[in-house]
Amino acid sequence: MPLQDQLYDLFLLDQQVRGLRTRLDAATRRLGAQSNKLDQLRQQQTELSDQVKHGQAEVSSLEHEASDLDERVKKLREQMNNVRNNKEYSAMLVEVNTFKDEKGKLEDQALEKMGEVDATGQRLAEVQAQVTDQVKLVELAQAEVQSSKDEVGDQLADATAKREIAADQIPSDRLAQFERLADNYDGETLGEIEEQDRRRREYTCGGCYMELPIERVNALMMKPDELVTCPSCNRFLYIKQELKAEIGAK
Ligand SMILES: [Zn+2]
């Protein structure tokens, strides 16, 4: 088989492999995106649940402090019952009032903190619900990846093996060029020659639509074992059998 035809075979198989892989890749990408979102939600869940725990600990320590002050007030009151000295009594009364003030402040703080903890708890419940939904989405995405694999896995393995055999037929420098083009042009490695005007010998590259020097068209026609590229986009040029036959008949 002439090199030009071998390259065309490789091109077709490359297209097939790409098409099949695109389906798998799309499913895999969707799974990745859904999994990332789940990770983020779980992290949020952990942070919020930590906040709730810390908040609850703060509330109970404030409540403790407040009840400690209460105890001290009670004790002072008992002591005050036994005090006969007016000055001492007044000093104790000042202390009682200070403790009461402090206790009031601590209780206010505890209330405020409780409000925060409640709000965080609500947010946590929302995130937990989101996590549950997201787990389902991840499971669906996993199933989609699996069904894509079931569907295209065998075809992809088959096409990949055939592509390898076809690639082995191409000289290594040309193959490297092909692979580079395939990467750059997303598999559109070939520019099919399009006839614009036969009489004026005007031909364009189907890849970049630029006009081709007639020497390139002639080389493609006459030397099927040589590969010819487009001077504008560097794609390998390809001529359909029908067009080749028509030009050749002239
Ligand atoms: Zn071109």
Side-chain angles (χ1 to χ4, degrees), residues 29-219:
R29 255 200 317 278
R30 275 194 291 274
L31 174 59
Q34 300 288 23
S35 302
N36 280 344
K37 199 175 169 198
L38 179 59
D39 288 348
Q40 281 169 11
L41 284 168
R42 281 196 168 135
Q43 202 188 325
Q44 235 180 312
Q45 188 184 12
T46 309
E47 283 167 11
L48 286 169
S49 138
D50 284 351
Q51 278 177 34
V52 168
K53 273 182 216 150
H54 285 144
Q56 281 166 341
E58 269 182 74
V59 168
S60 78
S61 108
L62 287 166
E63 283 171 345
H64 251 97
E65 283 178 57
S67 77
D68 281 353
L69 285 174
D70 216 24
E71 285 300 311
R72 289 166 80 176
V73 169
K74 270 185 205 156
K75 274 189 188 146
L76 273 172
R77 290 256 187 234
E78 279 165 24
Q79 286 170 21
M80 281 160 82
N81 286 337
N82 303 322
V83 167
R84 298 286 168 256
N85 178 329
N86 196 30
K87 199 177 167 193
E88 204 180 337
Y89 185 89
S90 303
M92 281 174 148
L93 191 60
V94 169
E95 212 177 347
V96 163
N97 287 332
T98 310
F99 284 160
K100 275 174 149 181
D101 273 0
E102 275 178 38
K103 187 195 153 204
K105 278 179 200 155
L106 287 170
E107 281 170 345
D108 286 349
Q109 282 176 29
L111 266 179
E112 197 184 324
K113 198 76 215 171
M114 256 186 254
E116 281 174 29
V117 171
D118 280 350
T120 311
Q122 274 173 25
R123 181 86 195 94
L124 176 60
E126 282 166 24
V127 171
Q128 271 162 344
Q130 282 177 297
V131 166
T132 309
D133 290 344
Q134 192 60 30
V135 166
K136 280 180 204 139
L137 287 175
V138 168
E139 283 167 2
L140 287 174
Q142 277 165 340
E144 201 194 327
V145 167
Q146 194 50 52
S147 73
S148 309
K149 272 186 190 158
D150 293 345
E151 247 175 86
V152 305
D154 289 348
Q155 293 176 57
L156 182 59
D158 186 47
T160 306
K162 282 185 183 151
R163 185 195 184 281
E164 250 171 67
I165 293 168
D168 280 345
Q169 313 300 310
I170 312 293
S172 62
D173 57 331
R174 294 311 221 174
L175 181 62
Q177 208 177 343
F178 178 91
E179 302 288 10
R180 260 199 315 278
L181 285 166
D183 284 344
N184 288 346
Y185 293 130
D186 205 15
E188 299 300 327
T189 31
L190 299 192
E192 189 187 320
I193 287 196
E194 286 167 3
E195 188 175 57
Q196 302 303 330
D197 190 321
R198 188 170 303 168
R199 197 188 298 262
R200 285 152 73 178
R201 307 195 346 137
E202 278 176 19
Y203 296 91
T204 52
C205 162
C208 67
Y209 311 110
M210 298 301 280
E211 195 170 338
L212 292 166
I214 193 65
E215 299 77 41
R216 301 254 173 159
V217 181
N218 287 339

